[in-house]
């Protein structure tokens, strides 16, 4: 918020760091265009190598988030390039899928795109192949595959732990929450609580336990029919982790999965209850098998 001090820091970094070390800055849009017209030249003149612009204001965050202001990112880029036609500006914000990235690059003229939240949920966001997901089943397999591959890497290479001891597992836990949010947040609250560490002795605290949780999740959805899949709340666009703060009716860039429309709201609710009962039955069967195995071992 103290733009003068920020510019002084950037100038000092550029002056004292080797030329091969890039120095960059990232900003959110100010409320007024006049402030933007004043701020961009000052940032460019600090000597930074590139600038990233998030296309929302500071107040447009969490539950107040809305569509990204692509036109104002474009304005900032035009201002920067009047000073230096080759100055690189990176766009950020409002990119939920691959097509959103392409649209924002085209509408703003940015040289590159940066993602934060969406990339944490769908690590293949920048791959065109990510657009091939067309059914709820494919989405589920993709997300559980992300979780399993991440756990494999953690087991062989180790996660980027900030410290040592039991607290370090929070890094793994946080990534799994993002991969699996669509399914465990509302449809599988017991798995959510186990992963969160609030389910007593059943809480997840190791990589192997995390693998078992993913396998449990897969088993619960394994035998659902197409109609049952399409009736689940997890198939809705707003069920994703990316949209957790966004109201369903609020406009954001989105890619809607193919979900058939049922005849009446009553029919949808009835179908959801049937699926919930079926999932509960699967849970009971699994628990019964586990108890049977435990008695054999004893």
């Amino acid at each position: 918020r103290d733009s003068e001090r920020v510019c002084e820091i950037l100038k000092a970094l550029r002056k004292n760091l080797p030329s091969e070390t890039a120095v960059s800055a990232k900003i959110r849009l100010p409320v007024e265009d006049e402030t933007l017209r004043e701020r961009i030249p000052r940032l460019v003149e600090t000597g930074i190598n590139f600038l990233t612009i998030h296309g929302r204001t500071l107040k447009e965050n969490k539950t107040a988030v809305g569509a990204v202001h692509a036109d104002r990112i474009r304005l900032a880029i035009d201002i920067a390039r009047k000073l230096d036609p080759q100055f690189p500006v990176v766009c950020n914000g409002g990119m939920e899928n691959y097509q959103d990235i392409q649209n924002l690059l085209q509408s703003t003229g940015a040289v590159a795109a940066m993602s934060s939240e969406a990339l944490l949920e769908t690590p293949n966001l920048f791959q065109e192949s990510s657009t091939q997901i067309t059914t709820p089943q494919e989405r589920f397999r993709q997300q559980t595959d992300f979780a399993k591959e991440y756990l494999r890497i953690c087991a062989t290479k180790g996660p980027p732990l900030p410290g040592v001891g039991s607290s370090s597992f929070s890094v793994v836990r946080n990534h799994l929450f993002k991969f699996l949010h669509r399914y465990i947040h509302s449809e599988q609250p017991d798995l959510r609580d186990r992963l969160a560490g609030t389910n007593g002795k059943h809480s997840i605290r190791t990589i192997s336990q995390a693998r078992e949780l993913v396998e449990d999740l897969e088993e619960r959805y394994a035998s659902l029919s197409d109609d049952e899949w399409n009736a689940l709340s997890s198939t809705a666009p707003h069920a994703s982790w990316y949209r957790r703060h966004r109201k369903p009716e609020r406009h954001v860039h989105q890619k809607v999965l193919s979900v058939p429309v049922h005849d009446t709201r009553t029919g949808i609710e009835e179908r959801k209850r049937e699926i919930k009962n079926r999932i509960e039955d699967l849970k009971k069967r699994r628990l019964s098998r586990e108890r049977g195995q435990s008695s054999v071992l004893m």
Side-chain angles (χ1 to χ4, degrees), residues 96-267:
E96 185 177 14
N97 54 60
Y98 180 83
Q99 192 55 53
D100 286 340
I101 296 170
Q102 304 311 307
N103 291 342
L104 197 60
L105 286 171
Q106 184 175 4
S107 61
T108 63
V111 299
M114 170 192 169
S115 171
S116 54
E117 293 199 345
L119 192 64
L120 290 171
E121 183 175 14
T122 52
N124 64 346
L125 179 68
F126 285 95
Q127 296 178 349
E128 189 172 4
S129 60
S130 65
T131 62
Q132 297 172 4
I133 299 296
T134 59
T135 69
Q137 295 94 319
E138 290 173 345
R139 174 74 65 192
F140 180 79
R141 285 194 294 271
Q142 173 184 264
Q143 296 307 121
T144 52
D145 283 349
F146 286 153
K148 289 187 289 187
E149 176 62 10
Y150 175 69
L151 290 172
R152 184 194 67 78
I153 293 171
C154 290
T156 56
K157 305 294 184 181
L161 303 181
V164 295
S166 59
S167 62
S168 65
F169 187 71
S170 63
V171 176
V172 178
R173 180 181 287 116
N174 288 340
H175 279 289
L176 291 179
F177 264 121
K178 295 171 178 65
F179 295 145
L180 306 175
H181 173 91
R182 184 182 288 272
Y183 310 101
I184 67 175
H185 179 67
S186 58
E187 291 179 353
Q188 309 296 336
D190 64 311
L191 296 187
R192 177 197 64 204
D193 293 344
R194 282 170 60 190
L195 185 57
T198 60
N199 202 11
K201 65 179 182 180
H202 299 294
S203 296
I204 304 300
R205 293 186 174 87
T206 67
I207 297 295
S208 60
Q209 289 174 339
R211 284 201 197 98
E212 291 174 2
L213 181 140
V214 177
E215 291 171 0
D216 190 350
L217 180 65
E218 289 180 313
E219 184 176 333
R220 294 183 185 190
Y221 290 83
S223 59
L224 296 182
S225 67
D226 289 348
D227 285 344
E228 288 172 328
W229 269 106
N230 289 325
L232 291 173
S233 61
S234 57
T235 63
H238 64 264
S240 69
W241 183 77
Y242 177 82
R243 289 171 175 257
R244 69 199 183 283
H245 293 307
R246 294 159 171 80
K247 296 179 180 179
E249 68 276 9
R250 180 169 289 158
H251 171 72
V252 294
H253 292 168
Q254 67 182 46
K255 179 181 180 182
V256 182
L257 295 178
S258 176
V259 180
V261 178
H262 297 280
D263 294 338
T264 64
R265 183 68 190 172
T266 303

Side-chain angles (χ1 to χ4, degrees), residues 1 3 25-40 43 51-61 65-80 89-94 104 108:
R1 295 181 180 181
S3 59
K26 179 176 182 286
I27 65 168
R28 276 182 173 255
L29 293 171
V31 175
E32 302 294 337
D33 283 351
E34 190 58 38
T35 305
L36 187 64
R37 295 178 190 279
E38 181 272 334
R39 188 166 295 170
I40 296 301
L43 288 167
L51 175 66
T52 300
I53 301 176
H54 186 121
R56 299 187 181 96
T57 68
L58 283 172
K59 291 184 178 180
E60 293 174 322
N61 197 13
V65 72
V68 69
H69 302 289
D71 57 333
R72 301 192 68 211
I73 298 178
R74 179 78 205 196
L75 173 62
I77 291 174
D78 289 343
I79 295 168
V89 179
V90 179
C91 60
N92 173 233
L104 197 60
T108 63

